[in-house]
Amino acid sequence: MTALSRGRDARRQLGMAALALGALGVVFGDIGTSPLYALQTVFSADHGAVKPTESDVFGVISLVFWSITLIVSIEFVLFIMRADNDGEGGILALIAKIEGLRLDSKGVKFGLIAIGMFGVALFYGDGMITPAISVLSAVEGVKVAIPSVHSIVIPVTIAVLAVLFAVQRFGTHRIGRVFGPVMLFWFAVIALAGLGRVVAHPEIVKALLPSYGIEFFGRHFGTAFIALGSIVLTITGAEALYADMGHFGRPPISRAWFFVVFPALTLNYMGQGSLIVGDPGTISNPFFLLIPHWGRVPMVVLATVATVIASQAVISGAFSVTKQAIQLGFLPRLQIRHTSAAEIGQVYLPAVNWFLLITVVALVIGFGSSTALGAAYGIAVTCTITADTLLFLVIARQLWRKPGWLVGIGAAVFFTVDVAFLAANLTKTEHGGWFPLSVGVVLFAVLSTWRRGSREIRDSRIEAEGSLRSFVDQLHAADPPTPRVPGTAVYLNARRETTPLALHASLEHAHALHESIVIISIETTRTPYVDEEHHLVVDDLGYEDDGISHLTVKVGFQEAIKVPHLFALACTRGLEGDAREEDAVYILSEVTIRATESPGMRGWRKRLYVALARNSVSAADFFHLPADRTVTIGSAIDL
């Protein structure tokens, strides 16, 4: 091996290590802070159905270890993370792939997309519960370190959350640089805390054998089934591994998981299990009681920082998912602010941020403890994981053409585990599980209503707009010719085949058109990003040198849509005529939607769609158009 190749390998390894360190701070915050509350919730579930005896503790630790192994290590890291969409992951990436499949039954395809949409809706429920349970569980450590000040837990938790959400508008690209090292320190500390107990009482290592979990189920099936409903808390954040794959790539996430996170979690859970066996009274808070008395106050501080990082990752994920959902047509336009000029994925959505803050604070006050919140947490996680598994298996069979017997084996193994967790958590519906399910149902109604209504409005607009080619032909055939005035007019239109309503109105009311007319249609692809050289497609509409052209702009569903920048780029690439961005006037069609009694959507869905449309961000703001050069022409469409 030459010195040059050795140098390249060294740089590659260094870059991989840097990405793995970054992944620790963004990807693993949620699952990495689960030891704070998971085992405590297991032994307090259903009024202490799981007893702190050696046999029950060994059974629980065995189930914890093999749940993490099967669902996180095998199902997600080794399999589902292979189903990327041009490097991007998450349930929306799976939906985008499903939409691109050619299935024999449209009903089956619609059903799969609906399941994916419900998984997206439940993601928001997860995004509400994670900051609440994580920060609350960390601050609850005060009750162990300094019992006399237990009354400050709720106020301090709310204060920490308020600050966390208040700083979102500044972006996380600066403080994000320290997330990785902090979380590396966190995993080192919890690993050492568990290791000390394991070395002192090494018999707990036997709990890693699957036989203890199987025996636990055989001896106390009902109790073990109840335990599964809380053991699911140890795998919260599995979806984050997949959803954040686009930021770091699969190899760095896999390495960080297998070399740092998985070993640290295993040691800590074993340490907590050994502690409970030695002193059953420690089930009140085994995580903090595992720490020596002198280190509990510093551990409360470190745990609070770690849970803030975990919460930050979920909040940023909610922003990213919302942006993707808007681009893919599942949500109306919302205000999106880009907080970093260097990193395209750094976005802030004020409406989502404040909505999350209100619900998170309400959860902290309403449930009052991390143990109570644990009952609400599992359903959102298990439903989303089950949806991920189903869509992945369909893609493996239909897109990758894997053999039916192989997919069948995968389905049997994965669904057995996923459905067992889902069934166990459904028993907690009345004890808090109703919350994420309610959020999921409401948001699913919003997502499906917007998608259905947008398609009906699209059909009505196509009829009203008419063919663009025919419109241009009529202009050329007009006698006398249509007067043209100096300047460039840019019309935005959703479809490249139809004529913008604003262009019809300009001709009808002004009886004249600009010398240079550019019609821009924006197509959001099912890929997250589009190479700049493939962004633009110019069409002269069959007539050269008439000053009328059409520009198709292709953008990925992760990209910001800045029309002036894209138009200026087109002007440098041979756009017909003397069009210049700095002189252009942007003319928009603003459609007022009226709910009617006509057949189609149900009345309540029509009213919901109209309300969403009225409260969506204007096209001028969404497409970053200059306010002093934007003109809006209104029209109405019945729904």
Side-chain angles (χ1 to χ4, degrees):
M1 182 182 292
T2 65
L4 181 61
S5 62
R6 285 196 298 269
R8 281 198 299 264
D9 289 342
R11 287 192 296 272
R12 189 183 306 112
Q13 292 297 326
L14 186 61
M16 186 70 69
L19 286 172
L21 181 63
L24 286 177
V26 175
V27 176
F28 298 105
D30 192 356
I31 196 169
T33 53
S34 294
L36 280 164
Y37 49 81
L39 288 191
Q40 177 185 355
T41 305
V42 170
F43 287 95
S44 63
D46 200 27
H47 307 289
V50 183
K51 304 300 181 184
T53 61
E54 180 175 309
S55 59
D56 280 14
V57 171
F58 274 49
V60 166
I61 298 302
S62 179
L63 290 176
V64 166
F65 175 75
W66 287 102
S67 296
I68 295 174
T69 299
L70 290 172
I71 293 179
V72 184
S73 298
I74 297 176
E75 185 173 353
F76 272 87
V77 177
L78 296 184
F79 285 99
I80 292 182
M81 285 180 65
R82 296 179 185 275
D84 67 291
N85 186 22
D86 278 7
E88 292 291 328
I91 195 164
L92 276 170
L94 291 174
I95 293 174
K97 280 187 168 293
I98 292 292
E99 285 191 315
L101 292 177
R102 294 183 178 180
L103 300 178
D104 295 334
S105 171
K106 290 184 178 180
V108 170
K109 187 173 185 177
F110 173 80
L112 291 171
I113 293 173
I115 291 171
M117 289 167 61
F118 190 61
V120 173
L122 285 171
F123 174 83
Y124 288 96
D126 186 9
M128 297 169 191
I129 298 174
T130 295
I133 192 173
S134 299
V135 177
L136 185 56
S137 63
V139 180
E140 282 174 344
V142 170
K143 294 191 292 186
V144 176
I146 314 174
S148 60
V149 297
H150 68 276
S151 60
I152 71 170
V153 169
I154 299 297
V156 169
T157 299
I158 293 174
V160 171
L161 290 168
V163 171
L164 173 63
F165 281 95
V167 301
Q168 294 301 311
R169 61 193 181 94
F170 299 111
T172 60
H173 52 287
R174 292 188 180 91
I175 58 175
R177 295 171 186 169
V178 303
F179 283 2
V182 170
M183 290 307 295
L184 180 61
F185 181 63
W186 164 261
F187 286 118
V189 170
I190 67 172
L192 289 173
L195 180 61
R197 185 74 193 184
V198 171
V199 170
H201 304 276
E203 66 273 7
I204 191 65
V205 176
K206 294 187 297 183
L208 299 185
L209 295 172
S211 57
Y212 283 94
I214 296 170
E215 181 186 349
F216 185 37
F217 259 99
R219 191 163 22 89
H220 304 298
F221 179 82
T223 301
F225 185 72
I226 291 171
L228 278 185
S230 300
I231 288 172
V232 71
L233 298 177
T234 64
I235 59 171
T236 57
E239 164 72 11
L241 275 72
Y242 182 39
D244 288 318
M245 186 168 61
H247 296 289
F248 303 99
R250 181 171 171 267
I253 292 176
S254 300
R255 293 186 183 190
W257 170 254
F258 284 113
F259 293 121
V260 178
V261 183
F262 191 20
L265 293 177
T266 301
L267 285 170
N268 193 265
Y269 285 126
M270 284 197 298
Q272 290 188 48
S274 176
L275 180 69
I276 294 170
V277 171
D279 182 3
T282 57
I283 60 172
S284 60
N285 200 320
F287 178 84
F288 281 102
L289 290 172
L290 188 63
I291 307 299
H293 191 275
W294 57 264
R296 288 173 185 168
V297 172
M299 192 62 181
V300 170
V301 176
L302 176 61
T304 303
V305 173
T307 54
V308 166
I309 292 174
S311 302
Q312 176 62 65
V314 172
I315 296 167
S316 299
F319 294 159
S320 178
V321 166
T322 303
K323 179 173 178 287
Q324 294 177 46
I326 293 169
Q327 300 284 68
L328 291 173
F330 290 106
L331 284 173
R333 294 187 299 264
L334 298 174
Q335 184 181 16
I336 300 175
R337 298 178 186 171
H338 292 264
T339 58
S340 172
E343 300 178 41
I344 193 168
Q346 295 284 345
V347 294
Y348 167 65
L349 285 79
V352 175
N353 186 67
W354 301 121
F355 173 69
L356 286 177
L357 174 60
I358 292 169
T359 54
V360 167
V361 170
L363 284 170
V364 170
I365 296 173
F367 283 85
S369 72
S370 59
T371 302
L373 269 169
Y377 205 2
I379 288 182
V381 174
T382 52
C383 284
T384 304
I385 288 175
T386 305
D388 282 337
T389 303
L390 175 62
L391 299 186
F392 167 75
L393 290 171
V394 172
I395 290 168
R397 176 62 179 153
Q398 298 293 327
L399 185 62
W400 299 343
R401 301 298 179 186
K402 296 296 181 181
W405 63 267
L406 183 61
V407 175
I409 292 174
V413 174
F414 294 152
F415 278 132
T416 297
V417 178
D418 294 349
V419 173
F421 275 111
L422 179 57
N425 278 275
L426 287 175
T427 63
K428 302 190 297 181
T429 300
E430 63 177 315
H431 301 294
W434 56 268
F435 176 79
L437 288 177
S438 300
V439 170
V441 169
V442 171
L443 290 179
F444 176 78
V446 170
L447 294 168
S448 59
T449 297
W450 184 259
R451 189 171 176 84
R452 169 79 182 277
S454 296
R455 289 184 173 181
E456 296 209 3
I457 292 298
R458 177 197 63 190
D459 294 341
S460 298
R461 285 192 67 155
I462 288 174
E463 184 178 351
E465 290 169 349
S467 167
L468 176 58
R469 193 75 64 173
S470 298
F471 180 84
V472 174
D473 290 342
Q474 290 173 10
L475 280 180
H476 280 270
D479 188 19
T482 301
R484 308 293 286 267
V485 297
T488 300
V490 177
Y491 293 85
L492 268 66
N493 199 43
R495 287 154 294 281
R496 54 185 173 184
E497 300 87 4
T498 60
T499 310
L501 294 175
L503 183 54
H504 280 295
S506 296
L507 182 60
E508 180 180 348
H509 298 298
H511 305 291
L513 296 174
H514 286 78
E515 277 183 337
S516 181
I517 296 175
V518 180
I519 302 166
I520 298 181
S521 297
I522 297 169
E523 293 183 1
T524 302
T525 67
R526 295 190 181 97
T527 57
Y529 303 105
V530 175
D531 293 336
E532 193 169 83
E533 59 266 24
H534 299 136
H535 260 313
L536 311 173
V537 178
V538 179
D539 183 0
D540 62 10
L541 302 175
Y543 295 93
E544 297 182 1
D545 302 324
D546 68 344
I548 303 176
S549 56
H550 184 278
L551 177 64
T552 301
V553 178
K554 295 184 178 182
V555 297
F557 61 76
Q558 284 276 44
E559 296 183 85
I561 306 175
K562 299 182 179 181
V563 169
H565 168 74
L566 294 168
F567 179 52
L569 185 64
C571 291
T572 65
R573 295 188 177 181
L575 190 64
E576 181 184 321
D578 298 324
R580 295 188 303 172
E581 194 286 319
E582 59 269 23
D583 298 330
V585 174
Y586 296 90
I587 304 178
L588 302 177
S589 308
E590 183 174 305
V591 176
T592 300
I593 301 168
R594 299 177 298 206
T596 66
E597 299 298 324
S598 61
M601 295 172 64
R602 294 178 181 269
W604 68 267
R605 298 189 76 179
K606 288 185 177 183
R607 292 189 291 273
L608 174 59
Y609 183 85
V610 170
L612 292 171
R614 287 176 179 171
N615 288 280
S616 64
V617 171
S618 70
D621 290 336
F622 187 79
F623 295 120
H624 300 85
L625 303 181
D628 58 339
R629 291 188 284 126
T630 301
V631 177
T632 301
I633 299 177
S635 58
I637 289 181
D638 293 334
L639 178 60

